[in-house]
Amino acid sequence: MRRRFFLPTVLCGALSPRAWAAPADAEPQPPTAPRYTVSPDQLQSAVAQRFPLRYPIPGLLNLDLRTPRLRLLSAQNRLGAEMTVDAAGPALNRSHRGTFEVDFALRYEASDRTIRAHQLRFYRLRFPSLQPGVVDMLNTYGPTLAEQSLQELVLHQLRPQDLAMADVLGLRPGSITVTDEGLVIGFVVKPL
């Protein structure tokens, strides 16, 4: 307990009085909380490592999932993903390409310092070249397909050095906010 109080006091005391003084005409600024950002490119790169994936429906067809294209849904504090699906096999005359969309929330997993997808919402599979009845049948597999491919998907892993200063200050990752520039991970005080 003393360490958490002592270190911030030492850090603040190390600054000269001049650093604390603001110009007379400046408006007071609220203190900024520590945060860590993850860019859209970092997210897309992490997702690309897991795909493509193949899901066979024995004796009928194979569904091949291509790398999802992520979208930042800042107004909903979620990420969206559009996925291309190739369907081929004995039940179909030829290969068909379709798409489906999902969106999901994010959570921090402390055991391996990862940001993961959860609370997945699936939106309908679309195959323009297939009969509506076949598409309806494929949509029965859609939620399972989405869950198996994206639920708990690792979108980013923080390195020990990314958390070193936060650890010293007695902080841990807390909130995850989706912004137009990427993810912003806020820090909170570790429980005692």
Side-chain angles (χ1 to χ4, degrees):
M1 182 70 179
R2 285 180 183 245
R3 187 176 121 212
R4 289 189 186 160
F5 175 74
F6 180 72
L7 188 57
T9 304
V10 170
L11 291 175
C12 291
L15 295 175
S16 70
R18 184 179 303 272
W20 288 96
D25 60 343
E27 291 184 31
Q29 298 293 319
T32 57
R35 58 189 204 163
Y36 177 90
T37 57
V38 183
S39 73
D41 289 341
Q42 288 173 298
L43 296 169
Q44 191 66 54
S45 176
V47 169
Q49 293 176 21
R50 174 129 185 233
F51 290 85
L53 294 173
R54 172 168 277 194
Y55 291 98
I57 301 172
L60 293 176
L61 54 95
N62 291 315
L63 297 172
D64 295 324
L65 301 180
R66 304 292 170 212
T67 302
R69 289 175 300 283
L70 298 177
R71 290 185 328 279
L72 301 167
L73 305 173
S74 57
Q76 298 154 351
N77 201 36
R78 294 174 74 85
L79 288 182
E82 182 179 357
M83 302 184 70
T84 299
V85 183
D86 293 321
L92 304 173
N93 292 337
R94 60 184 179 86
S95 180
H96 298 271
R97 179 158 285 180
T99 60
F100 72 90
E101 292 184 34
V102 297
D103 66 49
F104 47 87
L106 301 164
R107 72 175 190 86
Y108 177 70
E109 175 54 51
S111 66
D112 60 0
R113 302 175 320 278
T114 57
I115 306 299
R116 295 174 175 259
H118 81 127
Q119 297 178 350
L120 198 68
R121 291 191 297 215
F122 169 76
Y123 300 96
R124 190 170 174 77
L125 276 163
R126 293 175 303 278
F127 281 94
S129 61
L130 285 173
Q131 297 294 324
V134 175
V135 175
D136 288 342
M137 188 265 310
L138 289 176
N139 267 297
T140 62
Y141 296 101
T144 301
L145 184 67
E147 189 168 306
Q148 288 179 357
S149 60
L150 291 171
Q151 185 71 21
E152 293 299 315
L153 175 69
V154 172
L155 295 156
H156 186 72
Q157 183 169 29
L158 285 89
R159 302 167 301 171
Q161 58 265 38
D162 297 332
L163 298 173
M165 183 56 79
D167 283 340
V168 167
L169 295 173
L171 302 173
R172 65 174 174 80
S175 63
I176 302 172
T177 306
V178 178
T179 70
D180 293 336
E181 289 78 38
L183 305 183
V184 176
I185 300 163
F187 289 84
V188 296
V189 176
K190 289 180 182 178
L192 296 176

